Amino acid sequence: MALASGDEKHDPSAHSTLDILWVLYDRILRYDPRDPRSEDRDRFLMSKGHGPLALFAILADKGFFPAEEMARFETWEGILGGHPDRHRVPGIEVSTGSLGHGFPMAVGVALALRAKGSDRRVFVLIGDGEANEGSVWETALLAGSLELPHLTAILVDNASSTRPLGDIGAKFAAFGWSARTVDGRDHEALYEALSAPDSERPTIVVAGIRE
Amino acid sequence: MRAQMGATLQDLMDTDPRLAIVLADISHGYFERAAAAYPERVIKVGIMEQTAVSLAAGFAIEGFIPVVHSITPFIVERPFEQIKDDFCYQRLGGNIISTGASYDYGTDGMTHYGMGDVPILRTLPGMEVVVPGTAGEFDALFREAYADGAPTYFRLAERQNLTDRAVRFGRLEVVRRGSAATIVAVGPMLDRVLEAVANLDVTVLYCTTVAPFDGEALRAETLAGDRAVVVVEPYYEGTLVPEIVAALRPDPVRIEAIGVPRRVLTRYGSADEHDADLGLSAAGIRRRIEDFLAEG
């Protein structure tokens, strides 16, 4: 991440997700960086789109593209922009940036995998600021009523929301989700929460960041 | 047209396992058999059109061909950014089918009218826009275009032309030839246009694919006669004017754009009453065309 510059305004957004994404890509997700669109992969959708540097750094570290690409972040010659583009960056499932789009897309992906008979898991990362968007709560209502045990949402809560969100896990639980709240810097707590989804309902892991 | 949509999609659901339908609490009755037979490919999300469109894009990412359906303003204008970002910018194929064209629901007021659907969708790169004039034409055009890998909008109307024509996706059809002007009639406007120009010496071209527009056929037909074009559209007037100018460039052309004026409509009535008020009856269209020809 130190190689990249030009998006300092999103530094908090990039750093808040680093531990979560590392645990996901190092210990949870099944993928092959040489075949990033393999049908056998687990899907990860970065709904919030903002501050993708942590994701780019981890994708580079895991071999999706050369680490030198990080030095060309937000340049004409590079493939890494201020928001992820699935057509430019290997390993990016959806192009996001406008808030509140990737979460309902992830539900569509999860429903599509169910229709295919696939048991692959779908993970989607939402920000607490993003959770101001109405479409996030449309999707919370919808998915909470569906049998989607292979869908796990991660809501990174770094208190960036202008409107206080209160107990986010309780709100999702009220819509029918299995909800866990953990320390977003605690790798073991993240691993435990992300590796033990509910057997019937979608799961949300609220990852608190308090520094 | 709505019943035809149900029949066409039911038939295709039986034969194409890639098809998935996303509904937002409109037209459930037309999809009961499909929903019972294919519950994992017919998703009723409730009244949440933004989520409906994004969710459909999720199906598309996984290789399905989604169809999203609701009433025009709620499935085009409300989730416009979802159509733009989640289908067009991602370059995903899928289909949006609206019902209730312009003021088809003419007693429900402006919130339920949809005259701006085609103009705003025309701003999106890669978006295809289809305006069938009959139920049979919807069936033919949908079967031709639904799996073409592009986002495609099908605009269903309550009123339609009396006879099906042999329409093809992306093509203008020559209905009749004349020399004083070329009339482009879009979708359900054709019958009214033919009544309006009954004894006038004009070419009539029938347009059921607004985007991509068949500029080549327009050029071939127009430059053979007087370089005057009248476009008659069932949504906001003038939407196709840039395509017409581009098709005929660098040749000069006189254009008259007939369609729904950009006005807040405050009266309640049938779609025919709205047409009469806005000058879009056959008689109103004839007056506009006669005036235009007289100016030339």
Side-chain angles (χ1 to χ4, degrees):
Chain A
M1 289 176 72
L3 288 173
S5 61
D7 189 27
E8 283 73 14
K9 77 172 190 287
H10 282 135
D11 263 0
S13 187
H15 288 94
S16 67
T17 58
L18 186 58
D19 296 277
I20 298 158
L21 292 170
W22 179 254
V23 172
L24 263 181
Y25 276 85
D26 198 52
R27 300 173 69 180
I28 302 283
L29 291 173
R30 292 164 286 189
Y31 58 86
D32 178 356
R34 293 162 303 179
D35 186 10
R37 293 282 165 94
S38 163
E39 193 64 34
D40 285 336
R41 75 196 187 281
D42 290 327
R43 275 66 162 171
F44 171 73
L45 290 81
M46 189 178 182
S47 184
K48 73 177 198 138
H50 290 45
L53 264 181
L55 177 58
F56 291 158
I58 288 169
L59 289 175
D61 184 76
K62 294 299 185 185
F64 284 88
F65 52 82
E68 295 76 48
E69 197 61 52
M70 294 298 290
R72 306 200 296 174
F73 175 62
E74 290 191 341
T75 66
W76 194 254
E77 295 75 23
I79 62 169
L80 306 177
H83 299 97
D85 183 334
R86 76 187 194 101
H87 292 290
R88 303 294 309 277
V89 188
I92 295 296
E93 297 281 352
V94 290
S95 307
T96 47
S98 181
L99 299 172
H101 287 239
F103 187 26
M105 290 174 89
V107 175
V109 169
L111 286 165
L113 290 179
R114 187 176 78 176
K116 287 182 192 178
S118 168
D119 66 351
R120 298 296 95 169
R121 295 183 67 186
V122 179
F123 294 86
V124 56
L125 182 72
I126 312 164
D128 63 324
E130 181 180 18
N132 288 185
E133 295 284 2
S135 60
V136 168
W137 298 102
E138 289 182 0
T139 303
L141 168 65
L142 171 66
S145 67
L146 299 172
E147 194 175 320
L148 292 175
H150 55 304
L151 174 67
T152 296
I154 305 155
L155 193 149
V156 57
D157 178 13
N158 62 343
S160 66
S161 169
T162 299
R163 311 306 311 169
L165 288 169
D167 186 342
I168 299 167
K171 288 179 167 61
F172 274 77
F175 283 130
W177 290 65
S178 170
R180 300 275 300 275
T181 299
V182 300
D183 179 345
R185 298 291 189 206
D186 183 335
H187 287 203
E188 288 309 315
L190 285 165
Y191 175 74
E192 187 197 343
L194 294 171
S195 58
D198 192 89
S199 60
E200 293 178 359
R201 300 177 294 167
T203 295
I204 182 158
V205 176
V206 180
I209 303 292
R210 291 288 175 265
E211 72 248 42
Chain B
M1 283 194 203
R2 194 144 56 141
Q4 183 65 55
M5 169 188 69
T8 301
L9 284 173
Q10 175 65 54
D11 185 45
L12 289 172
M13 286 291 282
D14 289 336
T15 56
D16 190 342
R18 301 171 300 172
L19 206 56
I21 300 171
V22 182
L23 300 171
D25 269 15
I26 295 295
S27 305
H28 280 187
Y30 295 100
F31 296 102
E32 276 175 8
R33 195 163 77 76
Y38 310 105
E40 295 190 336
R41 290 193 287 133
V42 179
I43 311 298
K44 300 172 181 175
V45 299
I47 306 166
M48 47 176 85
E49 297 82 4
Q50 297 172 63
T51 288
V53 172
S54 296
L55 185 149
F59 265 98
I61 288 170
E62 290 297 328
F64 287 84
I65 302 170
V67 177
V68 199
H69 169 69
S70 189
I71 294 175
T72 307
F74 315 136
I75 203 61
V76 174
E77 290 163 321
R78 186 186 192 99
F80 178 69
E81 197 198 32
Q82 278 75 15
I83 298 171
K84 182 187 74 162
D85 284 4
D86 303 347
F87 276 97
C88 295
Y89 289 0
Q90 316 261 355
R91 286 175 257 164
L92 291 170
N95 302 280
I96 298 161
I97 306 177
S98 67
T99 187
S102 292
Y103 34 72
D104 273 349
Y105 306 136
T107 57
D108 285 340
M110 279 298 272
T111 60
H112 280 58
Y113 301 163
M115 291 77 76
D117 54 345
V118 174
I120 61 167
L121 291 173
R122 284 292 298 113
T123 67
L124 298 180
M127 190 81 207
E128 298 173 342
V129 177
V130 177
V131 185
T134 69
E137 290 169 6
F138 165 77
D139 181 72
L141 292 164
F142 188 83
R143 289 175 189 275
E144 194 178 349
Y146 84 96
D148 67 0
T152 309
Y153 174 60
F154 294 87
R155 184 184 212 253
L156 302 193
E158 296 286 318
R159 296 177 299 167
Q160 53 180 323
N161 303 319
L162 286 177
T163 54
D164 297 338
R165 293 183 180 269
V167 294
R168 289 169 299 165
F169 176 80
R171 300 289 184 86
L172 286 175
E173 310 296 322
V174 180
V175 179
R176 48 175 275 195
R177 287 193 168 95
S179 62
T182 300
I183 318 292
V184 178
V186 177
M189 302 306 276
L190 178 64
D191 277 2
R192 262 175 284 171
V193 165
L194 289 175
E195 185 183 339
V197 302
N199 57 351
L200 299 178
D201 177 27
V202 295
T203 292
V204 175
L205 304 178
Y206 182 37
C207 175
T208 51
T209 305
V210 170
F213 181 70
D214 186 1
E216 198 175 315
L218 177 73
R219 183 174 179 82
E221 294 298 328
T222 300
L223 295 185
D226 202 353
R227 292 173 190 179
V229 174
V230 179
V231 57
V232 185
E233 299 173 275
Y235 37 80
Y236 278 141
E237 62 190 3
T239 301
L240 271 172
V241 167
E243 277 74 12
I244 292 166
V245 172
L248 301 178
R249 190 176 291 139
D251 297 287
V253 59
R254 284 200 312 127
I255 301 180
E256 171 72 322
I258 300 175
V260 182
R262 287 170 173 76
R263 189 188 303 169
V264 176
L265 308 178
T266 56
R267 300 290 288 273
Y268 306 107
S270 68
D272 288 342
E273 287 177 292
H274 284 288
D275 276 342
D277 181 50
L278 299 169
L280 295 175
S281 63
I285 292 168
R286 182 175 180 94
R287 276 193 298 277
R288 293 276 295 273
I289 293 174
E290 283 177 335
D291 289 349
F292 176 70
L293 294 176
E295 286 168 7

